[in-house]
């Protein structure tokens, strides 16, 4: 039988007493016969053949001369790559250990740091933060945006005027500076010359809030390139925009561009060869500018055609605060007496008149001129209160 080889001896004869016959017991899973001693032969590894372990107390058999083992066939399959071949080391009978070799790719094992945004993206993000900023956080953001110069102005123009700090329909005080309106308006002023071309574009915007804020910024910048766009805003549909443009042009009165504009308006008003429509437009613009130096020219325009005379009279009422009729001799007489008083004196004197509506208009002009007395609006309801208000403004002038 394959599993248990015997040579015809008695069943009770132990195998170890017959070594001379050259036979060995093969490994088997069959249990030994009764009275037999089990002997299991475990083939040791090649390097440990001389250290064969015995389970029997009998002396080892004499060594057998055997032919060398046949050479192992050479496989035609190529060996695995060195990095994937496990490192096998014998650690005992039939025990092997494998060493795992990790492959690390420096490019694939980590992602590079994201590149910082470019200059335009940084300015865009900062401009959006300024558009949402309040008065308490506007100043540090404004200082950061100034470093971007023209890129900062371009980004700010796209979100202009941002979150407004006042109600334009009912301001709690006269708006005489862009710093009172929003963080974006104040930052545009801080950008200086870099903001001028963008402010000129914003003066033609569709939204009223944008035009008003741009006019306030122009009044703080005081640049000759903004004189012509501001003069166009004197014809704006919204009175707040017209007033802001007027204040900005008044602040730019000493610039060469503003002086040239005034000279062209006066020349057009006096030129009788011009069309009445052009002369009428010039008179209206001088009235919107509240130009005190144009009063004698407007008085002489009262002798022109009816449309021009009516427009010149309305401009005189706006500048002086009183109405002396449509005849030139009354206005000439008043001009001789009050030429040196200045516009503040003219308006203060006009508070003492019987018409309550005219007193209210005069008070509004005084607030635009001085920026003071906004909380004294109730004083014009009565003539006695208006006289006290008159004394207040005259005291302001003397101080």
């Amino acid at each position: 039988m394959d599993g248990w080889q015997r040579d015809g001896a008695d069943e009770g004869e132990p195998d170890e007493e017959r070594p001379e016959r050259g036979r060995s017991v093969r490994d088997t899973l069959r249990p030994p016969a009764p009275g037999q001693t089990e002997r299991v032969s475990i083939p040791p590894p090649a390097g440990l053949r001389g250290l064969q372990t015995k389970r029997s107390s009998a002396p080892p058999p004499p060594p057998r001369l055997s032919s060398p083992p046949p050479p192992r066939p050479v496989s035609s399959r190529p060996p695995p790559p060195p990095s994937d071949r496990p490192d096998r080391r014998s650690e005992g009978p039939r025990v092997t250990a494998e060493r795992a070799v990790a492959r690390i790719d420096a490019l694939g094992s980590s992602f590079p740091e994201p590149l910082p945004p470019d200059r335009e993206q940084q300015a865009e993000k900062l401009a959006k933060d300024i558009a949402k900023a309040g008065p308490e956080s506007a100043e540090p953001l404004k200082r950061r945006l100034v470093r971007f110069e023209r890129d900062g102005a371009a980004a700010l123009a796209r979100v202009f005027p941002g979150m407004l700090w006042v109600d334009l329909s009912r301001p709690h005080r006269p708006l005489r500076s862009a710093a009172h309106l929003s963080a974006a308006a104040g930052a545009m002023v801080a950008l200086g010359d870099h903001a001028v071309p963008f402010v000129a574009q914003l003066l033609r915007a569709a939204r009223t809030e944008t035009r008003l804020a741009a006019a306030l910024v122009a009044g703080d910048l005081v640049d000759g390139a903004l004189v012509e766009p501001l003069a166009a805003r004197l014809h704006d549909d919204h009175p707040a925009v017209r007033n802001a443009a007027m204040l900005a042009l008044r602040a730019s009165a000493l610039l060469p561009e503003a002086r040239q504009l005034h000279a062209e308006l006066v020349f057009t008003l006096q030129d009788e060869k011009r069309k009445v429509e052009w002369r009428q437009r010039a008179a209206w613009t001088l009235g919107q500018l509240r130009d005190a130096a144009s009063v004698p020219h407007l008085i002489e325009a009262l002798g022109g055609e009816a449309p021009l005379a009516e427009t010149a009279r309305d401009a005189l009422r706006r500048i002086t605060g009183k109405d002396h009729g449509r005849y030139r001799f009354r206005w000439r007489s008043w001009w001789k007496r009050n030429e040196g008083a200045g516009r503040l004196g003219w308006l203060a004197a006009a508070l003492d008149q019987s018409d309550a509506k005219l007193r209210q208009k005069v008070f509004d002009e005084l607030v635009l001129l001085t920026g003071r007395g906004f909380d004294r609006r109730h004083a014009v309801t009565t003539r006695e209160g208006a006289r006290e208000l008159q004394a207040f403004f005259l005291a302001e002038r003397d101080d």
Side-chain angles (χ1 to χ4, degrees):
M1 297 172 63
D2 294 337
W4 190 266
Q5 293 183 356
R6 301 184 63 84
D7 55 358
D10 295 338
E11 293 181 1
E13 181 182 359
D15 292 340
E16 60 270 14
E17 295 179 358
R18 295 179 286 107
E20 69 278 359
R21 296 180 183 180
R23 296 184 181 254
S24 62
V25 180
R26 306 178 74 180
D27 296 343
T28 179
L29 296 178
R30 181 182 301 176
Q36 265 190 334
T37 302
E38 180 184 11
R39 184 175 65 187
V40 180
S41 176
I42 301 176
L48 301 178
R49 288 180 179 178
L51 301 177
Q52 182 176 5
T53 304
K54 298 181 180 179
R55 292 184 179 269
S56 174
S57 60
R64 298 173 55 187
L65 297 176
S66 60
S67 59
R72 298 176 60 183
V74 179
S75 175
S76 61
R77 181 180 301 176
S83 59
D84 296 337
R85 182 183 301 170
D87 185 11
R88 302 179 183 272
R89 297 183 180 180
S90 299
E91 298 181 358
R94 299 274 185 193
V95 178
T96 59
E98 295 185 2
R99 183 180 64 182
V101 180
R103 177 181 295 179
I104 300 177
D105 188 357
L107 295 178
S109 60
S110 63
F111 294 97
E113 291 291 334
L115 296 176
D118 59 14
R119 183 180 177 86
E120 293 183 1
Q121 292 176 343
Q122 294 179 13
E124 192 77 24
K125 182 180 182 304
L126 192 55
K128 291 180 180 179
D129 293 339
I130 291 177
K132 299 180 292 185
E136 67 282 351
S137 59
E139 191 62 29
L141 294 174
K142 180 175 67 177
R143 289 196 296 267
R144 290 173 56 191
L145 186 68
V146 169
R147 305 173 191 169
F148 292 90
E149 298 178 345
R150 184 178 178 85
D151 292 336
L156 194 60
R158 288 188 283 269
V159 296
F160 193 83
M163 182 182 67
L164 301 179
W165 298 342
V166 297
D167 185 0
L168 296 180
S169 60
R170 293 189 300 176
H172 64 284
R173 59 179 176 177
L175 294 174
R176 302 184 65 86
S177 174
H180 302 157
L181 187 63
S182 69
M188 192 69 83
V189 176
L191 286 165
D193 295 339
H194 302 289
V196 170
F198 299 100
V199 174
Q201 297 176 7
L202 293 171
L203 284 169
R204 299 188 293 268
R207 294 180 57 197
T208 302
E209 295 83 356
T210 304
R211 298 196 305 273
L212 175 58
L216 292 173
V217 171
D220 291 340
L221 289 176
V222 188
D223 192 277
L226 298 175
V227 171
E228 184 176 351
L230 285 170
R233 290 279 64 81
L234 294 174
H235 302 268
D236 198 275
D237 297 334
H238 201 282
V241 179
R242 295 198 298 267
N243 292 337
M246 179 268 297
L247 294 174
L249 287 171
R250 180 181 296 172
S252 307
L254 299 180
L255 296 177
E257 293 82 357
R259 292 182 177 181
Q260 183 179 358
L261 173 64
H262 179 268
E264 291 177 358
L265 291 173
V266 171
F267 179 78
T268 301
L269 178 64
Q270 293 176 331
D271 190 3
E272 298 181 357
K273 297 180 179 180
R274 295 288 182 95
K275 293 183 178 181
V276 177
E277 292 80 5
W278 287 101
R279 299 180 65 190
Q280 186 178 356
R281 187 182 182 90
W284 185 89
T285 305
L286 290 171
Q288 292 296 319
L289 286 172
R290 277 74 163 177
D291 185 16
S294 63
V295 168
H297 308 293
L298 291 170
I299 291 175
E300 297 302 322
L302 293 174
E305 300 183 18
L308 175 60
E310 189 61 30
T311 303
R313 182 182 176 183
D314 183 71
L316 287 170
R317 283 197 299 261
R318 191 180 299 275
I319 296 172
T320 63
K322 276 192 174 183
D323 185 12
H324 296 286
R326 59 181 299 268
Y327 298 106
R328 285 179 291 179
F329 73 92
R330 292 183 179 178
W331 282 101
R332 289 171 180 170
S333 177
W334 173 87
W335 177 249
K336 283 183 180 181
R337 296 192 308 269
N338 299 279
E339 179 180 359
R343 188 163 184 257
L344 180 57
W346 303 339
L347 294 174
L351 284 173
D352 188 11
Q353 54 183 320
S354 58
D355 193 339
K357 291 183 178 179
L358 290 179
R359 290 200 303 267
Q360 183 64 51
K361 290 182 179 180
V362 171
F363 173 78
D364 293 339
E365 292 295 332
L366 281 168
V367 171
L368 281 175
L369 179 63
T370 64
R372 304 289 300 275
F374 192 78
D375 54 344
R376 298 172 178 264
R377 182 181 296 273
H378 63 280
V380 297
T381 56
T382 62
R383 194 167 185 177
E384 290 75 12
R387 289 171 180 170
E388 295 177 1
L389 191 60
Q390 178 186 30
F392 166 78
F393 280 112
L394 291 176
E396 290 287 323
R397 180 190 63 178
D398 296 336
D399 292 342

